[in-house]
Amino acid sequence: MRPQFAVRITPADVGKRVTIRYRITAEGDGPHHSDAVGVLEAWADGELAVTNRHGETSMIAEADMVAGRVVGPPPTRRAR
């Protein structure tokens, strides 16, 4: 049984926390997909910008998206 992927985000979700699975060009037997989790900063001209919790921004081509959805805030860390 193959997993069913769906893109459930739109440009209206800019500013929200999202997770996106997208195609990458793989060399040899490497992975064919990658994931980005973070705030959707922009969606324009067929390209998305997602900034993760470390402040790094991933640029993802809209055509490479396999799945995407809005997610809740990250879990809070408990004090030790």
Side-chain angles (χ1 to χ4, degrees):
M1 182 176 213
R2 298 189 77 158
Q4 294 184 353
F5 297 114
V7 176
R8 295 187 175 111
I9 59 173
T10 68
D13 294 316
V14 169
K16 296 179 182 175
R17 187 167 179 262
V18 298
T19 180
I20 299 172
R21 172 152 291 188
Y22 59 98
R23 282 183 216 87
I24 58 173
T25 304
E27 297 292 326
D29 292 331
H32 298 280
H33 294 94
S34 189
D35 298 306
V37 178
V39 176
L40 180 59
E41 300 289 344
W43 186 332
D45 300 323
E47 199 165 56
L48 294 81
V50 178
T51 302
N52 67 18
R53 64 187 172 121
H54 302 293
E56 301 163 337
T57 300
S58 297
M59 301 304 292
I60 302 165
E62 185 176 353
D64 290 337
M65 281 196 306
V66 175
R69 66 185 177 104
V70 174
V71 294
T76 56
R77 299 183 82 182
R78 297 187 327 186
R80 292 184 167 213

